Amino acid sequence: MDSIIFDLDGTLWDSRETVLEAWNEKIEQHEKLNQPLTAEDFKQTMGLQMKEIGEILFPSLSAEEREVFLQECCDSECDYLKKSGGSVYENVEEVLNALSKKYKLFIVSNCQAGYIESFYDYHKLDPLFLDFENPGRTGLSKGENIKLIMERNHLESPVYVGDTEGDRKASESAGIPFVYARYGFGEVEKYDYVIDEFRDLLRLF
């Protein structure tokens, strides 16, 4: 193994509280929406791309209205995250520091452009990662973005760490082992490795 590629939400941090604040502010201002979102609403969309998230959370809007509104929410979300951050899981910085001495580290997340940068800006963990990718920049699926990171950085034997069935499928699509972060948001039955807390990565690798 030469590298570790990480999912972000449910794997490195939980940003739902900050994101909820940003999105609910936009919902309150929208003439067709009046029901604020909850943390549980967001939990059911973790790992999905933005178009799918919009269809689940805002079914009353047309496709065109959803696209415009989601962009407004995402812009607001990134601003909020840069100021307030999210809740990074216990021991993440310590473990990433240790892992970075042995492996190349990367992030691939199903998020909009600017989201991973907001994570970097607030929590100052960007020096530990060599590269990142997301569909907001490429328009590609998570599996394709994993392959892109592998090709761009000449990786020969990476693993992917994530917390949802979508993460497992993306790993399978990219042809690399999947490490299931069981403490995260999703339920996964098939995996190559499993961790119950982030620190377990030091035991595995």
Side-chain angles (χ1 to χ4, degrees):
M1 191 178 87
D2 62 353
S3 52
I4 306 174
I5 308 172
F6 292 93
D7 172 50
L8 184 47
D9 292 321
T11 301
L12 297 176
W13 76 346
D14 181 351
S15 65
R16 287 178 296 173
E17 186 175 332
T18 304
V19 173
L20 270 175
E21 188 177 354
W23 284 46
N24 280 334
E25 180 182 66
K26 291 298 179 183
I27 288 172
E28 188 177 343
Q29 297 168 359
H30 199 283
E31 60 182 13
K32 290 188 177 181
L33 300 172
N34 52 29
Q35 184 66 38
L37 298 172
T38 66
E40 195 58 34
D41 291 327
F42 270 129
K43 185 175 181 179
Q44 67 176 319
T45 67
M46 289 299 172
L48 301 179
Q49 292 205 19
M50 201 54 63
K51 182 175 182 292
E52 298 169 295
I53 291 173
E55 290 169 353
I56 291 170
L57 297 182
F58 308 116
S60 63
L61 300 182
S62 68
E64 293 77 14
E65 289 171 330
R66 272 199 301 270
E67 185 176 357
V68 171
F69 183 62
L70 285 171
Q71 187 58 56
E72 292 175 358
C73 287
C74 289
D75 291 344
S76 177
E77 168 185 315
C78 287
D79 289 339
Y80 268 70
L81 287 169
K82 285 178 181 177
K83 296 173 186 173
S84 304
S87 178
V88 173
Y89 289 117
E90 188 175 5
N91 299 312
V92 161
E93 185 172 1
E94 171 196 341
V95 172
L96 288 176
N97 266 297
L99 291 172
S100 68
K101 292 175 170 56
K102 297 170 63 179
Y103 307 105
K104 298 174 182 178
L105 306 183
F106 305 88
I107 295 177
V108 172
S109 175
N110 264 351
C111 59
Q112 71 274 19
Y115 186 81
I116 297 173
E117 293 93 325
S118 297
F119 168 74
Y120 284 165
D121 284 347
Y122 188 83
H123 295 288
K124 310 302 181 187
L125 295 175
D126 48 305
L128 300 174
F129 297 95
L130 298 181
D131 198 359
F132 69 90
E133 202 50 271
N134 59 70
R137 294 204 307 186
T138 66
L140 300 174
S141 70
K142 182 171 278 189
E144 291 169 321
N145 280 325
I146 291 173
K147 288 179 184 177
L148 189 59
I149 285 286
M150 291 168 62
E151 293 165 4
R152 197 158 68 204
N153 295 279
H154 311 291
L155 307 182
E156 295 184 359
S157 55
V159 299
Y160 187 75
V161 184
D163 66 306
T164 67
E165 178 64 15
D167 292 335
R168 185 199 68 77
K169 290 179 178 177
S171 301
E172 184 176 60
S173 171
I176 64 175
F178 174 60
V179 182
Y180 172 36
R182 191 153 47 193
Y183 56 82
F185 301 138
E187 303 230 348
V188 181
E189 294 185 1
K190 183 181 177 184
Y191 44 80
D192 298 288
Y193 306 95
V194 62
I195 56 174
D196 290 303
E197 58 181 1
F198 199 74
R199 223 182 137 72
D200 288 346
L201 287 171
L202 296 180
R203 171 180 53 80
L204 285 178
F205 308 123

